[in-house]
Amino acid sequence: MSQGTNRRGSRAGIGAIWLTLLAGAAPSSAADVLQVVATLPDLADIARQVGQERAEVSSIAVGFQDPHYVDPKPSFVVKLNRADVFIQVGLDLEIGWVPPLLNQARNPRVIRGGPGWIDASEGVEILERPTREMSRAEGDIHIYGNPHYWMDPLNGKIIAAHIARVFSSLRPEWASEFEHNRDVFARRIDEANERWQARMAPHHGTPVVAYHNSWPYFERRFGIEIAGFVEPRPGIPPTPNDLLRVINLMKSKNIKMVLHSIYYDDKPARFVAQKVGAEVVTLATSVGGGEGVEDYIKLFDYNVGLLVDAFERTGPAR
């Protein structure tokens, strides 16, 4: 994961044909429902919770898709041209595909600094910010910190508050509704978090291995210990020596679980799990990334449920 575009660069062909598609687009009037476009379905769902019937929300990426590598399409440009609000994860997660979309959309409302532009990372405590200069030899490093912050549900409350402020600034006549919806969403998160914490409490401190470094926020919130990664460096496929390293780590710590995401090749994770009698647990990293994961709260219901079931099957680590 890096600021480069060699693995996630935009495709050629974003060009003149899109201008034709944009010809009839026009900005919304003050009385209109807000037109909102988010990069990820998680951000889109939080925006729906805040906007309710006052916002029409769509997302660009889907839940089973790697958010680092999304191909720009003309339909996305049309949506962005008509949008009142654009919400991105930021921290260079979408750097390979958002800039070309915004450039072609030519919508001043949703560019950086525009009234409807939202970087959802603002106000969130960002983990793993580099403290030294990084190089490409170290893999796909995010130079602004780990961007998977939506995987802590309490950060969802921060995101919702940011969205409510922008919605209110654009439609002040509906500000009280947005604020009410924000508060309802925050209460739902707090109530659900009590349930999640109770389920995870018996497994606090249990070490696991992950394929990719997508989980520091989830790890901190739910008390698991990610002891290592199958990838030797972010975005670098493991070699046989790397797999042996992970196998030895799992044996030494009696680790019985490998966390995985649906959009990565699962062969390396399954290989090391088979060698040590562990399980591969494929968690959802976004809304829509698993069966029944229809909204942001269900994302954590799903992941916590899978983890607790797996912990109960595999037993405690020694």
Side-chain angles (χ1 to χ4, degrees):
M1 302 178 291
S2 79
Q3 59 184 343
T5 58
N6 61 316
R7 293 184 59 196
R8 69 184 93 149
S10 59
R11 289 187 173 181
I14 304 176
I17 190 172
W18 292 7
L19 300 180
T20 302
L21 294 171
L22 302 179
S28 304
S29 69
D32 287 341
V33 166
L34 284 167
Q35 300 298 312
V36 181
V37 178
T39 55
L40 300 193
D42 314 87
L43 303 180
D45 184 69
I46 295 171
R48 288 189 192 98
Q49 303 306 318
V50 173
Q52 296 294 334
E53 70 273 10
R54 302 299 193 184
E56 184 176 315
V57 185
S58 63
S59 66
I60 295 174
V62 295
F64 52 81
Q65 188 172 22
D66 186 343
H68 305 91
Y69 316 117
V70 175
D71 288 330
K73 297 179 181 179
S75 60
F76 302 154
V77 175
V78 174
K79 284 184 177 181
L80 285 168
N81 177 263
R82 296 171 178 169
D84 299 299
V85 178
F86 172 65
I87 312 170
Q88 67 170 13
V89 172
L91 303 176
D92 81 1
L93 179 76
E94 309 106 330
I95 195 169
W97 52 279
V98 160
L101 289 173
L102 290 177
N103 289 341
Q104 290 295 324
R106 302 185 180 185
N107 179 352
R109 298 186 300 278
V110 298
I111 62 173
R112 181 182 293 271
W117 183 82
I118 297 177
D119 182 330
S121 70
E122 292 181 12
V124 173
E125 180 188 357
I126 301 303
L127 303 180
E128 300 178 354
R129 290 189 187 272
T131 57
R132 58 181 176 81
E133 186 175 347
M134 312 299 289
S135 75
R136 291 289 297 164
E138 297 174 82
D140 288 344
I141 302 295
H142 283 289
I143 63 173
Y144 302 113
N146 193 294
H148 298 272
Y149 57 83
W150 70 91
M151 293 306 299
D152 178 345
L154 298 196
N155 285 340
K157 299 197 300 179
I158 298 172
I159 297 167
H162 189 176
I163 291 172
R165 287 194 299 272
V166 173
F167 282 9
S168 296
S169 71
L170 295 173
R171 299 291 188 273
E173 65 272 28
W174 299 334
S176 61
E177 294 181 42
F178 297 141
E179 292 163 4
H180 171 76
N181 297 339
R182 173 204 62 200
D183 292 343
V184 169
F185 176 73
R187 286 196 297 271
R188 291 179 61 215
I189 288 286
D190 288 339
E191 291 167 0
N193 188 51
E194 291 184 8
R195 179 175 73 249
W196 299 324
Q197 294 298 331
R199 295 198 68 191
M200 290 293 294
H203 312 291
H204 281 186
T206 303
V208 301
V209 161
Y211 180 81
H212 179 81
N213 190 17
S214 301
W215 307 102
Y217 300 92
F218 188 93
E219 174 188 22
R220 182 180 66 170
R221 180 57 56 199
F222 294 109
I224 59 176
E225 177 199 342
I226 297 179
F229 301 96
V230 178
E231 286 182 329
R233 293 176 297 281
I236 306 299
T239 66
N241 283 340
D242 295 320
L243 298 181
L244 179 60
R245 166 187 56 79
V246 177
I247 289 167
N248 289 336
L249 171 68
M250 295 180 72
K251 287 180 177 179
S252 69
K253 294 195 171 186
N254 194 33
I255 294 173
K256 297 297 185 181
M257 193 180 306
V258 182
L259 303 187
H260 201 261
S261 303
I262 193 170
Y263 41 77
Y264 293 118
D265 181 6
D266 68 351
K267 291 185 180 64
R270 295 198 177 281
F271 177 81
V272 298
Q274 187 272 331
K275 292 297 183 181
V276 299
E279 285 194 26
V280 175
V281 180
T282 301
L283 301 181
T285 56
S286 277
V287 172
E291 185 176 356
V293 185
E294 299 165 357
D295 61 37
Y296 189 66
I297 288 178
K298 289 181 181 178
L299 171 67
F300 296 97
D301 285 336
Y302 179 85
N303 286 338
V304 168
L306 286 179
L307 278 175
V308 169
D309 289 348
F311 281 135
E312 291 175 352
R313 284 193 302 271
T314 58
R318 291 193 297 272

